[in-house]
Amino acid sequence: MEINEMKRLLQSSISESRYLHTLGVIESAKELAILHGADDQKACIAALLHDAAKRMDVHEMIEISNEEGFPPDEFEISAPAVLHAPAGAAAAKRLYGISDPDILHAIRSHTIGCQRPTKLDAIVFVADFIEPGRKPFNGLEEARKLAETNLLAALKKCAELSMGYVVSCGGKAHPTTVKMINDTEELI
Ligand SMILES: [Fe+2]
Ligand SMILES: [Fe+2]
């Protein structure tokens, strides 16, 4: 599918504010890819489709994730806010014809993170947080600054912010996120 066609399909399937957020994530992902020597085309497509499943209901998200080979774990099933990541990878594959495993992996990993994140995984995760349309929150400017110079440090910061938010809402941090933070710490 051609990129403008993807944009049209996406725009018709998510809210206007989500679409604007997505355009911001594309902008940030492209900048980060150029800055840190990653494939900017892949970064743009992963950013474009990262929230593609946001409007699906929980049942639909679980079903498409399982059917397309991105099975959510028990933890994700019990925390629907993170389910749109595996469902997004599944939607990118089924509805947008994306077969590139790097792009699909970056989409799949954008909520809870993953083990040994690639540069592309880190770029999408960080871009999702620091995109220009984000309303100010504690730690945002620090994450933006880190993203300019140290992608891994920015990834760690964004994962910590994400975990902090989940915990402040009464949820539990996903073990994968905790492990990614600890592993990243050693690599910075
Ligand atoms: Fe998302
Ligand atoms: Fe997002």
Side-chain angles (χ1 to χ4, degrees):
M1 191 184 287
E2 198 254 324
I3 191 125
N4 283 328
E5 203 182 329
M6 287 188 207
K7 282 187 171 172
R8 276 195 295 275
L9 177 57
L10 182 75
Q11 198 169 9
S12 69
S13 52
I14 56 176
S15 68
E16 185 58 26
S17 61
R18 181 66 47 188
Y19 187 69
L20 289 175
H21 158 68
T22 296
L23 295 181
V25 180
I26 296 172
E27 188 184 328
S28 292
K30 185 170 187 175
E31 276 174 22
L32 291 176
I34 292 168
L35 203 57
H36 298 289
D39 186 322
D40 61 324
Q41 298 234 23
K42 287 190 187 194
C44 286
I45 294 173
L48 174 68
L49 298 176
H50 82 286
D51 278 342
K54 198 77 184 186
R55 259 197 177 166
M56 289 180 183
D57 64 38
V58 172
H59 173 75
E60 209 180 345
M61 286 196 276
I62 294 170
E63 190 173 75
I64 193 172
S65 302
N66 281 326
E67 286 174 0
E68 295 298 337
F70 304 95
D73 62 26
E74 286 305 314
F75 193 108
E76 288 173 300
I77 290 171
S78 65
V82 299
L83 261 181
H84 72 280
K93 191 173 166 190
R94 181 184 291 182
L95 308 175
Y96 295 81
I98 303 297
S99 55
D100 184 302
D102 301 336
I103 294 174
L104 297 174
H105 192 264
I107 298 172
R108 201 267 173 262
S109 310
H110 90 270
T111 52
I112 61 164
C114 59
Q115 299 225 17
R116 291 180 296 283
T118 64
K119 221 182 247 186
L120 190 66
D121 297 334
I123 284 170
V124 175
F125 196 99
V126 171
D128 192 22
F129 267 82
I130 66 165
E131 61 99 352
R134 280 282 183 206
K135 291 203 183 81
F137 58 85
N138 262 344
L140 176 59
E141 285 315 312
E142 191 189 338
R144 282 182 173 150
K145 276 245 155 332
L146 286 171
E148 288 173 13
T149 52
N150 190 330
L151 185 60
L152 273 182
L155 175 67
K156 178 171 174 278
K157 180 73 193 169
C158 292
E160 285 168 349
L161 289 170
S162 163
M163 198 171 74
Y165 176 74
V166 170
V167 172
S168 75
C169 295
K172 270 200 235 154
H174 193 289
T176 299
T177 314
V178 178
K179 185 162 189 331
M180 184 174 79
I181 290 169
N182 293 336
D183 291 351
T184 307
E185 169 99 60
E186 288 171 21
L187 298 170
I188 293 171

